[in-house]
Amino acid sequence: MFLGLEWYWWIVIILAAAVVMPFKIKFLKWWDKLQRERKEEQQEKWGNEE
């Protein structure tokens, strides 16, 4: 088979990716929001001195 893996391993990999991807996207959105909030806190704390 392709890259030495049997067909059923490809199904396992595809299913794992299908389960993990939504969580990764949700985590990245949450992380981006957290970083923006932290940046805004720093600007409010020290003023807009950029």
Side-chain angles (χ1 to χ4, degrees):
M1 293 263 22
F2 188 66
L3 295 177
L5 295 176
E6 295 294 331
W7 63 270
Y8 50 85
W9 284 114
W10 288 109
I11 292 176
V12 170
I13 291 169
I14 291 169
L15 288 175
V19 169
V20 169
M21 287 305 241
F23 290 109
K24 181 179 178 181
I25 292 169
K26 188 172 184 175
F27 172 78
L28 289 175
K29 286 181 180 180
W30 170 80
W31 185 257
D32 185 48
K33 181 181 174 186
L34 183 68
Q35 293 299 317
R36 277 189 271 121
E37 288 174 356
R38 287 183 180 174
K39 187 175 180 181
E40 288 175 3
E41 284 179 10
Q42 286 295 326
Q43 287 180 351
E44 290 173 6
K45 186 175 182 181
W46 300 105
N48 293 331
E49 296 179 6
E50 292 183 0

